[in-house]
Amino acid sequence: MPLKMDQKDRRLMLGGGVLFVALIVAAAFFSGNGTKEEIPSTYSTASGGAKAAYMLLADAGFQVARWEKPLKELPHGTGDTLILANPAQAPTREDKDRLKKFVSAGGRVIATGNFAGTYLPESNSLPIALGGVTRAKAVSPSQITRAAPEITIAPDARWESLTPAYPLYADGDQTLVVKYPYGRGEVLWWASAMPLTNSGLKEPGNMEFLLACARETKGRILWDEYIHGYRETLGSAMGNSPVKWLALQLALLALAVLATFSRRSGPISAPAAVVRLSPLEFVETLGGLYEHADTASVAVDICYQRFRYWLTKRLGLASNTPLEELRRAVEDRFALRDERFSAVMRRCESAKNDPYLQGPEALHLVQELDEFAARMRLFTGRKEKVG
C-alpha cells in the first residue's frame, strides 16, 4: 500500500532529511579537531587534553608524531617511545603481543592510568576509588627524579609494591610511578595522565618530569591517538566519532515513521505469552552468556564482591576495609591463619580488571573463595562447595 502524504508533509520530511545530512557533514568536518574533549589527546585544548604537552615536546626538539594506526602496525625500529595516555578500551590480543615485541626489541612505553596496565607486558596496577590531587615525592635516585624531585598527580590507581618494578614516585605507601626493563626496552607507568595534561603541565614539577621521561628516547616519540578514536581514514574516523550517533538518530527517525505508519495500517495480533524461566535455567543461561562473551573476570568479580560483602558484614567492618586489616580481623575472629587467604583476595582484586583471564583460573579463584566462605560459615544454609 503506497504511503499517501500531502505536499506540506512531503516538504517537512525533505527539510528534516536535508538538516540531518547537513549535521552529519558538519560533524564529520569538525570532529577531527576534538578541541574540547576531556581526554589526554594531542588534539584537545581542554583542561584534560594534551595539546600543550605535544607542542612542548616538539618545541624541545623531540621527533614527536601522532600514531593513528592499530598497535599491530607498530614499527620494528628500536629506540622509539610510545605514549599510551589513558586508553579508553582494552587492547586486542594481537595488539598486546605486538607491543611486547616492540618493547623487547628496544622500544619504550609510557602508559598512564589503571586501564593502561592491560596493554603492558607486565602489570600489577590496582584501582583507587578517590585519589584526589596529591604531591608525589621521589623515592629512588634516577635521572628522572633528579630533574623533578616532586610531581603533582591525581592518581586513579597504584602499583602493587611487591613486584620487581623500580619505584620512582610515591605518596606515603602508595607507589604512583614505576619503571621496569623488558627485553632490551623499558616500560614507564604513571598512576594518571595529569602530568601531561594542559592543566596539569603547569603544576610544580610536572613539566620537568615529562621532559625527563622523554629525554631517554633515542628515536621518535609516538603519541597514540588511535586509542582515543582517531583514525587515518575518513570512514574509520567517522565510525569512532559522534557522526555515527547522528546517523543512528536519522535511522531511528526513519524507523519511527515506518513503524507508526505500519502500526496504524497493519493487522492486529495477540501478544505472545511470557515465558518464565526457572532459577536453574536462569543460572545456566547466565553462565553460558559469560562463557560465550569470554568474560571470566566478570564472574570472578561478582563472586568476590559477594564474598567481601558478607565477610565485612559478619566482622562489622566497612566495605572498603584494606586487605591487610581484613586479614588480621579474619585471623582474630575465625582463627583462620592461612597464607592463601591474602594471595587469593589480592588475585581476585587484580583479576576483575584482567580481560584475558582464562576460565580454569577463574573457576579456581571462585572455588577458593567458596572454600573460605564455608570454613567461616558466611552463607547461611550453604552446604556444598563450587566444583
Side-chain angles (χ1 to χ4, degrees), residues 2-23:
L3 179 62
K4 296 181 179 180
M5 299 179 61
D6 58 24
Q7 191 68 19
K8 292 183 179 180
D9 291 338
R10 188 176 292 106
R11 290 178 181 176
L12 181 60
M13 290 292 293
L14 291 176
V18 171
L19 179 60
F20 268 101
V21 172
L23 288 174

Side-chain angles (χ1 to χ4, degrees), residues 68-372:
E68 298 179 348
K69 300 178 182 179
L71 292 180
K72 62 183 180 181
E73 299 183 22
L74 278 174
H76 294 274
T78 61
D80 292 341
T81 295
L82 178 70
I83 298 180
L84 296 171
N86 286 20
Q89 56 188 5
T92 63
R93 189 175 298 275
E94 186 178 7
D95 287 343
K96 189 169 183 176
D97 292 341
R98 182 66 192 93
L99 187 61
K100 285 184 179 181
K101 295 179 181 178
F102 171 80
V103 180
S104 298
R108 298 175 69 245
V109 173
I110 299 177
T112 70
N114 175 59
F115 202 58
T118 60
Y119 286 74
L120 302 180
E122 297 177 2
S123 175
N124 204 8
S125 62
L126 298 175
I128 297 177
L130 295 174
V133 179
T134 184
R135 292 286 294 165
K137 298 182 179 180
V139 293
S140 301
S142 69
Q143 294 183 356
I144 297 176
T145 55
R146 188 180 302 114
E150 291 185 354
I151 61 174
T152 305
I153 194 169
D156 56 20
R158 63 180 177 85
W159 192 272
E160 179 63 41
S161 58
L162 300 177
T163 61
Y166 188 67
L168 296 180
Y169 295 88
D171 179 25
D173 60 347
Q174 293 185 345
T175 303
L176 303 181
V177 178
V178 300
K179 72 174 182 178
Y180 62 85
Y182 189 84
R184 290 186 294 170
E186 184 181 62
V187 173
L188 280 86
W189 177 86
W190 305 357
S192 81
M194 182 178 180
L196 54 77
T197 61
N198 297 327
S199 61
L201 193 62
K202 61 185 179 181
E203 296 296 331
N206 286 356
M207 182 183 297
E208 295 80 0
F209 171 66
L210 174 62
L211 293 175
C213 290
R215 194 170 293 122
E216 299 182 8
T217 302
K218 299 179 182 179
R220 298 175 299 168
I221 297 178
L222 304 176
W223 200 301
D224 197 328
E225 290 292 352
Y226 190 89
I227 59 176
H228 298 144
Y230 293 94
R231 306 291 188 268
E232 285 188 331
T233 62
L234 178 61
S236 299
M238 291 179 63
N240 291 271
S241 69
V243 175
K244 62 182 179 182
W245 302 115
L246 291 176
L248 178 60
Q249 293 179 34
L250 181 59
L252 290 176
L253 178 62
L255 290 175
V257 173
L258 295 176
T260 54
F261 175 77
S262 61
R263 180 61 180 169
R264 293 193 304 267
S265 305
I268 299 176
S269 59
V274 178
V275 178
R276 299 187 179 275
L277 300 178
S278 66
L280 182 59
E281 290 174 326
F282 172 78
V283 172
E284 291 177 349
T285 302
L286 190 61
L289 178 63
Y290 287 148
E291 181 180 5
H292 180 72
D294 196 20
T295 54
S297 59
V298 177
V300 172
D301 186 35
I302 292 174
C303 295
Y304 174 70
Q305 295 298 335
R306 177 172 177 260
F307 175 86
R308 189 179 177 94
Y309 167 80
W310 284 106
L311 181 59
T312 53
K313 183 178 181 180
R314 180 68 63 84
L315 295 173
L317 299 176
S319 59
N320 60 348
T321 300
L323 179 57
E324 186 61 25
E325 183 178 347
L326 192 61
R327 181 188 62 80
R328 291 194 298 266
V330 167
E331 291 181 358
D332 295 340
R333 175 70 179 275
F334 301 106
L336 179 64
R337 292 174 174 82
D338 193 334
E339 296 179 356
R340 293 183 302 134
F341 179 79
S342 297
V344 170
M345 295 288 284
R346 188 178 295 108
R347 180 63 184 117
C348 287
E349 286 186 353
S350 60
K352 65 182 181 181
N353 297 316
D354 186 3
Y356 300 111
L357 182 67
Q358 297 299 315
E361 184 179 1
L363 178 60
H364 175 71
L365 291 175
V366 173
Q367 289 175 331
E368 291 285 341
L369 290 177
D370 192 74
E371 179 183 349
F372 284 119

Side-chain angles (χ1 to χ4, degrees), residues 37-51:
E37 290 182 301
E38 290 291 344
I39 56 175
S41 166
T42 58
Y43 293 108
S44 176
T45 58
S47 60
K51 188 172 185 178

